[in-house]
Amino acid sequence: MALPGFVHALISAGKLARQTAETVCRKAQNAGASVIAELIDSTAISAAEIAQTLSSACGAPLLDLDTVDAQRLPKDLLDAKLCLSHHIVVLDKRGNRLIVATADPSDQAAAESIKFASQMAVQWVVVEYDKLARLLRTLSTGSSKDSAGLGTRTPVDFEFDENDDAAAASVPATLDAAGADIEDAPVVRFLHTVLLNAIEMRASDIHFEPYEQRYRVRFRIDGTLHEMAAPPISIKDRLASRIKVISRLDIAEKRAPQDGRMKLKLDSGHAIDFRVSTLPTLFGEKIVLRILDAGSLRLGIEALGYDADEKTRLLAAIGRPHGMILVTGPTGSGKTVSLYTCLDLLNKPGLNIATVEDPSEINLSGINQVNVNEKAGLTFATALRAFLRQDPDILMVGEIRDLETANIAIKAAQTGHLVLSTLHTNDAQSTLTRLRNMGIAPFNIASSVILISAQRLVRRLCPQCKQAHETPRQALLEAGFADPPIDGSWKPYRPVGCKACYDGYKGRIGIYQVMPVSEAIQAIILRDGSALEIARQAQAEGVRTLRQSGLRKVMQGLTSLEEVMAATNE
């Protein structure tokens, strides 16, 4: 039969014969009793010998519980039932670690349960079984019950907004944190803790990922994924069901991807939206939550990182009465924030502004916002047609995905409306050829598009720990620096890392290629010129590439050369 880990340690130390161990373990199993208690009762091994042996074998410190004052043990760190079921007592909390007394430091199930319930690492302290049992009896029956960290953990002080139609308007009361079944209560608390931690750590996405032997939770912070927790794999289905119920998804459907939304109400004046996406994988459903915290967004144009000449070009374009402005870049490059920054500047009582998105990620008072609903027949194209009958001044289309939407948007730009939208292209010049490839006539492109802004987000160096460092001249030249900037008056900074940041970075900043469509570029479009020709003309007109824009941020000490090289491909 399979023997517990601590029994193997006793056998290896010569304290116990294997045959005796198997007999004792079988007897304890049949009686439903503790193996350690049965060893103490049935053999000549004392509780002190077991504790000393396991302390040496596991490298964990040994503690005499007679020296511990139960009244001074920490409160409210672990649930009482969890402590009793795993035969443990919390002794102390140090940083992100719980110091826990146990008679069996090889109990991995207990360690995983503690990590899951507390979201902290576990450091074992080995104690004698009989003394631990006496302390647990005292704590569970005496007045000091809560002083050992055995009281019920206080629920988090926020709740899901159950009155929001787009975010689970009718969450069953039995699944609420206060009324959850006892088996689901740890899952509810775990989910609430993860969401709150992600918000506090400025994460943009949360990934719940099931694998064959483990379950992983990662946060995307400043564009990079960081592993944050590894709860027991046994919770994956209950956690998925909890998220799907709140997001009003079909909990019975596990074979197809689903998309939904939920809202987290932190207090009376602050609620955070989450966009929910589920995906069936080999070992369960992977769930990704996109955090849409409109309250944390800074829509001021100064916060986006435009250089002075780039800002001037953008402001000149949005000040025109009609035409099309396109913002391009990959997913997660900040296109929506850039568009809403422009809308915020344009948002005046005398203008009628309407947007259609899939879905709306930022709520802006004074703007008419519409969410795409393809099941109901509300697409980008149908919404745009409806907008044009609503006497609009400015239109924003979340993304131009097809020829029909592109045609309507271009016609709107040609007939006296200012149209803002996005495309997924690598740079500004490729956007014009992309429209051509979609089937838009060169004349319509040249007469409607007035400016294209390609962008990327790079991590901003932490101002508290960044350090200047010497970089070989040849490396700077290969990166794209010209001779004049390499004059010794500045040095690139490198990330170091401190308590205030992640890997030496804190926050992100944009790098931009802001290209107005001049008469010369219009001429190239009309003769169906290539993206390379457009790029050369833009360079001649003083438009910087994304790489050149990024290198200026390196010279300013805002980001590292490695970040710019990774974000741009030239």
Side-chain angles (χ1 to χ4, degrees), residues 196-214:
L196 187 60
N197 287 345
I199 294 164
E200 290 176 346
M201 298 168 76
R202 301 175 292 103
S204 61
D205 302 86
I206 308 170
H207 292 240
F208 298 93
E209 302 170 312
Y211 297 96
E212 186 174 13
Q213 301 294 336
R214 61 191 294 250

Side-chain angles (χ1 to χ4, degrees), residues 510-563:
I511 56 175
Y512 303 92
Q513 179 191 18
V514 182
M515 186 183 80
V517 179
S518 64
E519 290 185 0
I521 292 177
Q522 285 178 334
I524 297 173
I525 296 170
L526 287 172
R527 59 180 170 82
D528 217 4
S530 66
L532 184 59
E533 290 178 88
I534 296 171
R536 287 172 180 164
Q537 180 60 37
Q539 283 276 84
E541 295 175 3
V543 175
R544 285 186 292 275
T545 66
L546 285 166
R547 172 67 62 83
Q548 290 168 342
S549 178
L551 294 179
R552 286 174 66 89
K553 297 293 191 294
V554 174
M555 290 181 64
Q556 295 163 12
L558 297 174
T559 189
S560 67
L561 183 59
E562 293 78 14
E563 272 292 291

Side-chain angles (χ1 to χ4, degrees), residues 462-480:
C462 174
Q464 296 187 28
C465 65
K466 66 179 182 180
Q467 289 183 357
H469 72 115
E470 295 288 344
T471 302
R473 181 183 181 85
Q474 186 60 34
L476 294 176
L477 289 171
E478 290 176 358

Side-chain angles (χ1 to χ4, degrees), residues 161-180:
D161 182 359
E162 298 178 4
N163 297 317
D164 185 71
D165 288 338
S170 56
V171 180
T174 54
L175 286 175
D176 197 13

Side-chain angles (χ1 to χ4, degrees), residues 190 194 206-208 215-219 226-231:
F190 174 71
V194 167
I206 308 170
H207 292 240
F208 298 93
Y215 194 51
R216 181 170 67 174
V217 178
R218 293 191 291 174
F219 293 172
H226 300 266
E227 186 168 348
M228 292 297 168

Side-chain angles (χ1 to χ4, degrees), residues 243-313:
I243 294 173
K244 288 162 79 174
V245 164
I246 298 170
S247 308
R248 303 186 73 177
L249 300 178
D250 184 357
I251 62 173
E253 179 57 77
K254 300 182 179 180
R255 299 169 297 176
Q258 297 187 69
D259 295 297
R261 295 187 72 184
M262 65 185 190
K263 178 176 286 188
L264 187 65
K265 187 176 180 182
L266 296 178
D267 52 50
S268 59
H270 190 193
I272 294 175
D273 287 299
F274 294 82
R275 193 164 65 195
V276 181
S277 173
T278 72
L279 180 70
T281 67
L282 286 176
F283 304 107
E285 289 181 285
K286 175 177 178 176
I287 300 177
V288 177
L289 308 183
R290 167 67 59 88
I291 302 174
L292 309 174
D293 184 6
S296 68
L297 292 174
R298 299 170 61 191
L299 293 180
I301 196 166
E302 302 298 335
L304 298 183
Y306 285 98
D307 284 336
D309 57 341
E310 295 168 344
K311 183 172 70 172
T312 300
R313 292 179 194 139

Side-chain angles (χ1 to χ4, degrees), residues 61 63 74 77 90-100 118-125:
L63 174 69
L77 293 177
V90 179
L91 300 174
D92 197 6
K93 176 187 174 184
R94 297 175 186 170
N96 197 37
R97 292 178 300 146
L98 280 185
I99 312 301
V100 183
S118 66
Q119 293 300 290
M120 287 185 277
V122 178
Q123 181 175 327
W124 290 127
V125 173

